[in-house]
């Protein structure tokens, strides 16, 4: 059942960009899985979003290797630059920012995903360069 639920939630997110309350209710009717289980799963995983996301979704790793290589300062830098906190989307709907877990490139920490593409060895200068290309 958990596999089915996760698969269904990922499908919804892929189609709609996020998992709305309406989609959760629809999934409840379709599968009979309790609303609390669906909502609990949708909000548990960092890769799933229950609010509309920006055009660019930034997921910064804060697992041990990245943490030990300054990820918190990078997170703070991005928060200040985009004027949003982790878990939020910018007013212009351009950026969403999330703190996530290991993305498998610990030897090049700190690292992040930007719309699922990996960026590694992050510095403030590198963040400036990456974000400037997106504006
Ligand atoms: S700890 Fe950050 S990529 Fe593995």
């Amino acid at each position: 059942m958990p596999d089915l639920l996760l698969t269904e939630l990922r499908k919804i997110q892929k189609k709609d960009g996020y998992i709305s309350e309406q989609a959760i209710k629809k999934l409840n009717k379709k599968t009979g899985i309790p609303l609390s289980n669906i909502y609990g799963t949708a909000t548990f995983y960092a890769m799933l979003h229950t609010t509309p996301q920006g055009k660019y979704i930034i997921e910064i790793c804060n697992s041990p290797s990245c943490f030990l290589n300054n990820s918190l300062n990078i997170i703070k830098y991005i928060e200040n630059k985009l004027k949003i906190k982790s878990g939020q989307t910018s007013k212009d709907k351009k950026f969403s920012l999330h703190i996530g877990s290991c993305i498998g490139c610990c030897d090049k920490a700190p690292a992040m995903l930007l719309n699922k593409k990996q960026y590694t060895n992050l510095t403030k200068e590198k963040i400036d360069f990456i974000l400037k290309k997106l504006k």
Side-chain angles (χ1 to χ4, degrees):
M1 191 62 90
D3 286 349
L4 167 74
L5 178 54
L6 207 47
T7 301
E8 290 293 323
L9 290 171
R10 291 180 90 154
K11 271 191 218 169
I12 293 167
Q13 182 163 290
K14 189 173 182 184
K15 186 173 138 279
D16 300 341
Y18 75 107
I19 302 157
S20 67
E21 194 179 319
Q22 187 183 0
I24 289 174
K25 287 178 182 169
K26 203 171 160 185
L27 186 58
N28 163 258
K29 281 188 181 165
K30 179 181 161 187
T31 63
I33 299 170
L35 283 171
S36 58
N37 287 14
I38 300 173
Y39 186 76
T41 302
T43 54
F44 178 78
Y45 291 99
M47 67 197 174
L48 299 175
H49 308 295
T50 54
T51 56
Q53 297 297 292
K55 179 178 178 184
Y56 300 108
I57 301 174
I58 299 169
E59 299 166 271
I60 305 179
C61 172
N62 198 33
S63 289
S65 186
C66 287
F67 179 80
L68 292 172
N69 282 283
N70 215 14
S71 61
L72 279 182
N73 282 343
I74 296 294
I75 291 165
K76 281 183 192 154
Y77 185 72
I78 295 175
E79 285 180 339
N80 286 336
K81 197 165 177 71
L82 299 181
K83 296 178 176 47
I84 55 175
K85 295 286 180 194
S86 174
Q88 295 180 333
T89 297
S90 59
K91 282 183 184 165
D92 63 2
K93 306 286 182 212
K94 199 162 187 175
F95 296 100
S96 292
L97 178 64
H98 300 279
I99 296 175
S101 51
C102 185
I103 57 173
C105 37
C106 318
D107 58 328
K108 296 172 192 153
M112 71 177 190
L113 296 174
L114 173 67
N115 287 358
K116 305 295 176 197
K117 183 179 175 194
Q118 286 182 350
Y119 291 86
T120 58
N121 297 315
L122 296 174
T123 61
K124 290 175 182 176
E125 292 75 23
K126 197 164 184 180
I127 294 294
D128 286 344
F129 180 76
I130 294 164
L131 296 181
K132 195 174 178 182
K133 287 197 324 191
L134 302 176
K135 292 201 171 186

